[in-house]
Amino acid sequence: MRDTIKKHKDFARAETDITFGTPFFVARSRPTLWPGNAQYGLIATKKTLKNATDRNRAKRLLRAWIRANESLMSPDMDYIFIVRTPILEATLSEGNAMMKRALKKLATDNQL
């Protein structure tokens, strides 16, 4: 599994970020600063999900979907996933399908 992004400045959006939205989350990717050490980050805000248990559940779901589709993640890209409210009603299979779709779309957009 990849390392996680921990610093606030690393979450900041850049003009070169490639973005893809799904009903459950927004995925962003950008070239990593350190080749061979690609990372990912999760954002679940109080504005989106009021309860801490909901934010934690959303992040657990995202981590499970990332683990299931990690082979689709480019080793040269950092990924940031931003939670949307409907994630709490998502099933594991729906989430896996959305994650697969998002990662494939980010990979094809990165090739352009």
Side-chain angles (χ1 to χ4, degrees):
M1 187 95 175
R2 295 169 174 242
D3 290 335
T4 57
I5 297 173
K6 294 175 179 64
K7 294 182 181 177
H8 178 74
K9 67 179 178 107
D10 294 335
F11 281 99
R13 185 182 171 112
E15 290 180 21
T16 58
D17 286 2
I18 300 167
T19 305
F20 182 74
T22 72
F24 305 138
F25 58 89
V26 175
R28 291 188 348 222
S29 68
R30 70 176 123 200
T32 185
L33 297 175
W34 301 279
N37 189 22
Q39 300 176 322
Y40 75 94
L42 307 175
I43 300 174
T45 64
K46 283 185 182 180
K47 185 176 181 181
T48 305
L49 301 171
K50 304 288 184 221
N51 296 327
T53 54
D54 291 341
R55 291 191 300 275
N56 292 336
R57 181 169 182 266
K59 290 188 281 186
R60 278 195 309 274
L61 285 170
L62 280 174
R63 282 189 208 102
W65 300 339
I66 289 169
R67 270 193 300 276
N69 295 289
E70 192 169 11
S71 61
L72 299 173
M73 296 173 87
S74 170
D76 300 329
M77 301 296 284
D78 286 342
Y79 294 89
I80 296 172
F81 300 96
I82 305 166
V83 169
R84 288 186 169 167
T85 306
I87 195 169
L88 298 176
E89 284 83 37
T91 65
L92 192 60
S93 60
E94 288 174 333
N96 280 333
M98 284 293 163
M99 183 63 72
K100 182 180 282 189
R101 186 171 155 213
L103 292 174
K104 285 183 178 182
K105 178 69 174 159
L106 292 173
T108 57
D109 286 355
N110 187 40
Q111 300 298 325
L112 300 177

mmCIF file of all heavy atoms in Angstrom, residues 66-89:
data_model
loop_
_atom_site.group_PDB
_atom_site.id
_atom_site.type_symbol
_atom_site.label_atom_id
_atom_site.label_comp_id
_atom_site.label_asym_id
_atom_site.label_seq_id
_atom_site.Cartn_x
_atom_site.Cartn_y
_atom_site.Cartn_z
ATOM 1 N N ILE A 66 -9.440 1.644 -2.540
ATOM 2 C CA ILE A 66 -8.086 1.885 -3.058
ATOM 3 C C ILE A 66 -7.299 0.589 -3.055
ATOM 4 O O ILE A 66 -6.628 0.247 -4.027
ATOM 5 C CB ILE A 66 -7.373 2.978 -2.231
ATOM 6 C CG1 ILE A 66 -8.007 4.342 -2.514
ATOM 7 C CG2 ILE A 66 -5.877 3.004 -2.537
ATOM 8 C CD1 ILE A 66 -7.562 5.438 -1.559
ATOM 9 N N ARG A 67 -7.366 -0.172 -1.941
ATOM 10 C CA ARG A 67 -6.649 -1.448 -1.874
ATOM 11 C C ARG A 67 -7.108 -2.400 -2.975
ATOM 12 O O ARG A 67 -6.300 -3.104 -3.592
ATOM 13 C CB ARG A 67 -6.862 -2.107 -0.516
ATOM 14 C CG ARG A 67 -5.845 -1.731 0.521
ATOM 15 C CD ARG A 67 -5.921 -2.637 1.735
ATOM 16 N NE ARG A 67 -7.211 -2.600 2.392
ATOM 17 C CZ ARG A 67 -7.582 -1.684 3.286
ATOM 18 N NH1 ARG A 67 -6.757 -0.733 3.632
ATOM 19 N NH2 ARG A 67 -8.780 -1.737 3.834
ATOM 20 N N ALA A 68 -8.413 -2.433 -3.247
ATOM 21 C CA ALA A 68 -8.960 -3.336 -4.256
ATOM 22 C C ALA A 68 -8.524 -2.950 -5.669
ATOM 23 O O ALA A 68 -8.476 -3.805 -6.561
ATOM 24 C CB ALA A 68 -10.482 -3.363 -4.168
ATOM 25 N N ASN A 69 -8.207 -1.687 -5.897
ATOM 26 C CA ASN A 69 -7.869 -1.210 -7.243
ATOM 27 C C ASN A 69 -6.468 -0.607 -7.330
ATOM 28 O O ASN A 69 -6.178 0.146 -8.254
ATOM 29 C CB ASN A 69 -8.898 -0.153 -7.676
ATOM 30 C CG ASN A 69 -10.269 -0.742 -7.828
ATOM 31 O OD1 ASN A 69 -10.523 -1.500 -8.752
ATOM 32 N ND2 ASN A 69 -11.160 -0.421 -6.906
ATOM 33 N N GLU A 70 -5.627 -0.932 -6.396
ATOM 34 C CA GLU A 70 -4.287 -0.338 -6.350
ATOM 35 C C GLU A 70 -3.465 -0.632 -7.603
ATOM 36 O O GLU A 70 -2.624 0.174 -8.007
ATOM 37 C CB GLU A 70 -3.527 -0.816 -5.107
ATOM 38 C CG GLU A 70 -2.284 -0.030 -4.845
ATOM 39 C CD GLU A 70 -1.681 -0.333 -3.493
ATOM 40 O OE1 GLU A 70 -2.098 -1.290 -2.836
ATOM 41 O OE2 GLU A 70 -0.760 0.408 -3.113
ATOM 42 N N SER A 71 -3.726 -1.728 -8.254
ATOM 43 C CA SER A 71 -2.968 -2.067 -9.463
ATOM 44 C C SER A 71 -3.217 -1.066 -10.596
ATOM 45 O O SER A 71 -2.410 -0.947 -11.518
ATOM 46 C CB SER A 71 -3.327 -3.478 -9.937
ATOM 47 O OG SER A 71 -4.700 -3.548 -10.257
ATOM 48 N N LEU A 72 -4.334 -0.338 -10.540
ATOM 49 C CA LEU A 72 -4.654 0.657 -11.568
ATOM 50 C C LEU A 72 -3.996 2.013 -11.299
ATOM 51 O O LEU A 72 -4.045 2.901 -12.140
ATOM 52 C CB LEU A 72 -6.171 0.845 -11.667
ATOM 53 C CG LEU A 72 -6.972 -0.393 -12.057
ATOM 54 C CD1 LEU A 72 -8.462 -0.102 -11.954
ATOM 55 C CD2 LEU A 72 -6.606 -0.841 -13.453
ATOM 56 N N MET A 73 -3.401 2.173 -10.122
ATOM 57 C CA MET A 73 -2.792 3.449 -9.760
ATOM 58 C C MET A 73 -1.380 3.536 -10.338
ATOM 59 O O MET A 73 -0.577 2.637 -10.161
ATOM 60 C CB MET A 73 -2.757 3.616 -8.239
ATOM 61 C CG MET A 73 -4.139 3.686 -7.617
ATOM 62 S SD MET A 73 -4.122 3.680 -5.827
ATOM 63 C CE MET A 73 -3.936 5.422 -5.512
ATOM 64 N N SER A 74 -1.117 4.633 -11.019
ATOM 65 C CA SER A 74 0.186 4.841 -11.632
ATOM 66 C C SER A 74 1.248 5.074 -10.549
ATOM 67 O O SER A 74 1.012 5.842 -9.613
ATOM 68 C CB SER A 74 0.136 6.050 -12.569
ATOM 69 O OG SER A 74 1.425 6.403 -12.987
ATOM 70 N N PRO A 75 2.423 4.454 -10.665
ATOM 71 C CA PRO A 75 3.477 4.660 -9.664
ATOM 72 C C PRO A 75 4.104 6.058 -9.731
ATOM 73 O O PRO A 75 4.846 6.433 -8.834
ATOM 74 C CB PRO A 75 4.507 3.579 -10.005
ATOM 75 C CG PRO A 75 4.248 3.238 -11.420
ATOM 76 C CD PRO A 75 2.799 3.486 -11.677
ATOM 77 N N ASP A 76 3.787 6.823 -10.766
ATOM 78 C CA ASP A 76 4.345 8.164 -10.919
ATOM 79 C C ASP A 76 3.362 9.262 -10.531
ATOM 80 O O ASP A 76 3.631 10.441 -10.749
ATOM 81 C CB ASP A 76 4.772 8.385 -12.375
ATOM 82 C CG ASP A 76 5.813 7.384 -12.822
ATOM 83 O OD1 ASP A 76 6.605 6.935 -11.979
ATOM 84 O OD2 ASP A 76 5.817 7.039 -14.015
ATOM 85 N N MET A 77 2.208 8.881 -9.980
ATOM 86 C CA MET A 77 1.163 9.862 -9.680
ATOM 87 C C MET A 77 0.767 9.812 -8.203
ATOM 88 O O MET A 77 0.699 8.738 -7.609
ATOM 89 C CB MET A 77 -0.086 9.592 -10.531
ATOM 90 C CG MET A 77 0.128 9.624 -12.029
ATOM 91 S SD MET A 77 0.619 11.226 -12.655
ATOM 92 C CE MET A 77 -0.915 12.095 -12.599
ATOM 93 N N ASP A 78 0.506 10.996 -7.641
ATOM 94 C CA ASP A 78 -0.102 11.112 -6.320
ATOM 95 C C ASP A 78 -1.603 11.282 -6.538
ATOM 96 O O ASP A 78 -2.023 11.928 -7.493
ATOM 97 C CB ASP A 78 0.428 12.331 -5.571
ATOM 98 C CG ASP A 78 1.847 12.148 -5.072
ATOM 99 O OD1 ASP A 78 2.318 10.995 -4.998
ATOM 100 O OD2 ASP A 78 2.490 13.165 -4.746
ATOM 101 N N TYR A 79 -2.400 10.722 -5.633
ATOM 102 C CA TYR A 79 -3.852 10.789 -5.746
ATOM 103 C C TYR A 79 -4.449 11.407 -4.486
ATOM 104 O O TYR A 79 -3.986 11.139 -3.376
ATOM 105 C CB TYR A 79 -4.450 9.387 -5.934
ATOM 106 C CG TYR A 79 -4.061 8.744 -7.227
ATOM 107 C CD1 TYR A 79 -2.909 7.973 -7.339
ATOM 108 C CD2 TYR A 79 -4.844 8.895 -8.367
ATOM 109 C CE1 TYR A 79 -2.544 7.384 -8.535
ATOM 110 C CE2 TYR A 79 -4.490 8.307 -9.573
ATOM 111 C CZ TYR A 79 -3.344 7.553 -9.639
ATOM 112 O OH TYR A 79 -2.985 6.964 -10.832
ATOM 113 N N ILE A 80 -5.480 12.218 -4.671
ATOM 114 C CA ILE A 80 -6.230 12.793 -3.561
ATOM 115 C C ILE A 80 -7.704 12.479 -3.810
ATOM 116 O O ILE A 80 -8.221 12.699 -4.909
ATOM 117 C CB ILE A 80 -6.005 14.309 -3.457
ATOM 118 C CG1 ILE A 80 -4.540 14.579 -3.143
ATOM 119 C CG2 ILE A 80 -6.919 14.919 -2.397
ATOM 120 C CD1 ILE A 80 -4.148 16.025 -3.190
ATOM 121 N N PHE A 81 -8.368 11.954 -2.776
ATOM 122 C CA PHE A 81 -9.776 11.588 -2.866
ATOM 123 C C PHE A 81 -10.566 12.438 -1.883
ATOM 124 O O PHE A 81 -10.260 12.465 -0.692
ATOM 125 C CB PHE A 81 -9.967 10.097 -2.569
ATOM 126 C CG PHE A 81 -9.215 9.215 -3.511
ATOM 127 C CD1 PHE A 81 -7.961 8.716 -3.183
ATOM 128 C CD2 PHE A 81 -9.745 8.895 -4.745
ATOM 129 C CE1 PHE A 81 -7.250 7.911 -4.061
ATOM 130 C CE2 PHE A 81 -9.042 8.083 -5.637
ATOM 131 C CZ PHE A 81 -7.795 7.598 -5.292
ATOM 132 N N ILE A 82 -11.586 13.139 -2.392
ATOM 133 C CA ILE A 82 -12.407 14.026 -1.583
ATOM 134 C C ILE A 82 -13.802 13.413 -1.462
ATOM 135 O O ILE A 82 -14.472 13.164 -2.470
ATOM 136 C CB ILE A 82 -12.492 15.426 -2.220
ATOM 137 C CG1 ILE A 82 -11.081 15.970 -2.444
ATOM 138 C CG2 ILE A 82 -13.317 16.364 -1.345
ATOM 139 C CD1 ILE A 82 -11.030 17.174 -3.353
ATOM 140 N N VAL A 83 -14.227 13.180 -0.233
ATOM 141 C CA VAL A 83 -15.488 12.503 0.057
ATOM 142 C C VAL A 83 -16.688 13.371 -0.309
ATOM 143 O O VAL A 83 -16.669 14.580 -0.128
ATOM 144 C CB VAL A 83 -15.532 12.163 1.563
ATOM 145 C CG1 VAL A 83 -16.897 11.700 1.982
ATOM 146 C CG2 VAL A 83 -14.488 11.131 1.904
ATOM 147 N N ARG A 84 -17.728 12.719 -0.830
ATOM 148 C CA ARG A 84 -19.041 13.339 -1.032
ATOM 149 C C ARG A 84 -20.045 12.613 -0.133
ATOM 150 O O ARG A 84 -19.872 11.427 0.176
ATOM 151 C CB ARG A 84 -19.474 13.231 -2.485
ATOM 152 C CG ARG A 84 -18.687 14.142 -3.403
ATOM 153 C CD ARG A 84 -19.253 14.109 -4.798
ATOM 154 N NE ARG A 84 -18.672 15.174 -5.611
ATOM 155 C CZ ARG A 84 -18.798 15.234 -6.920
ATOM 156 N NH1 ARG A 84 -19.490 14.317 -7.565
ATOM 157 N NH2 ARG A 84 -18.238 16.213 -7.596
ATOM 158 N N THR A 85 -21.094 13.281 0.250
ATOM 159 C CA THR A 85 -22.069 12.749 1.215
ATOM 160 C C THR A 85 -22.662 11.386 0.826
ATOM 161 O O THR A 85 -22.810 10.527 1.698
ATOM 162 C CB THR A 85 -23.208 13.772 1.434
ATOM 163 O OG1 THR A 85 -22.618 15.019 1.794
ATOM 164 C CG2 THR A 85 -24.144 13.326 2.527
ATOM 165 N N PRO A 86 -23.015 11.115 -0.426
ATOM 166 C CA PRO A 86 -23.644 9.815 -0.758
ATOM 167 C C PRO A 86 -22.754 8.592 -0.510
ATOM 168 O O PRO A 86 -23.229 7.467 -0.608
ATOM 169 C CB PRO A 86 -23.960 9.945 -2.249
ATOM 170 C CG PRO A 86 -24.020 11.399 -2.517
ATOM 171 C CD PRO A 86 -23.043 12.023 -1.564
ATOM 172 N N ILE A 87 -21.494 8.800 -0.160
ATOM 173 C CA ILE A 87 -20.599 7.665 0.077
ATOM 174 C C ILE A 87 -21.122 6.767 1.201
ATOM 175 O O ILE A 87 -20.877 5.564 1.196
ATOM 176 C CB ILE A 87 -19.156 8.143 0.377
ATOM 177 C CG1 ILE A 87 -18.169 6.987 0.259
ATOM 178 C CG2 ILE A 87 -19.064 8.800 1.741
ATOM 179 C CD1 ILE A 87 -16.718 7.407 0.273
ATOM 180 N N LEU A 88 -21.868 7.329 2.127
ATOM 181 C CA LEU A 88 -22.352 6.547 3.263
ATOM 182 C C LEU A 88 -23.400 5.510 2.861
ATOM 183 O O LEU A 88 -23.603 4.540 3.576
ATOM 184 C CB LEU A 88 -22.921 7.475 4.339
ATOM 185 C CG LEU A 88 -21.908 8.447 4.948
ATOM 186 C CD1 LEU A 88 -22.591 9.377 5.929
ATOM 187 C CD2 LEU A 88 -20.759 7.707 5.594
ATOM 188 N N GLU A 89 -24.047 5.684 1.714
ATOM 189 C CA GLU A 89 -25.026 4.713 1.226
ATOM 190 C C GLU A 89 -24.426 3.748 0.202
ATOM 191 O O GLU A 89 -25.134 2.893 -0.330
ATOM 192 C CB GLU A 89 -26.238 5.416 0.597
ATOM 193 C CG GLU A 89 -27.190 6.005 1.612
ATOM 194 C CD GLU A 89 -26.756 7.375 2.106
ATOM 195 O OE1 GLU A 89 -26.224 8.150 1.284
ATOM 196 O OE2 GLU A 89 -26.909 7.658 3.296
#
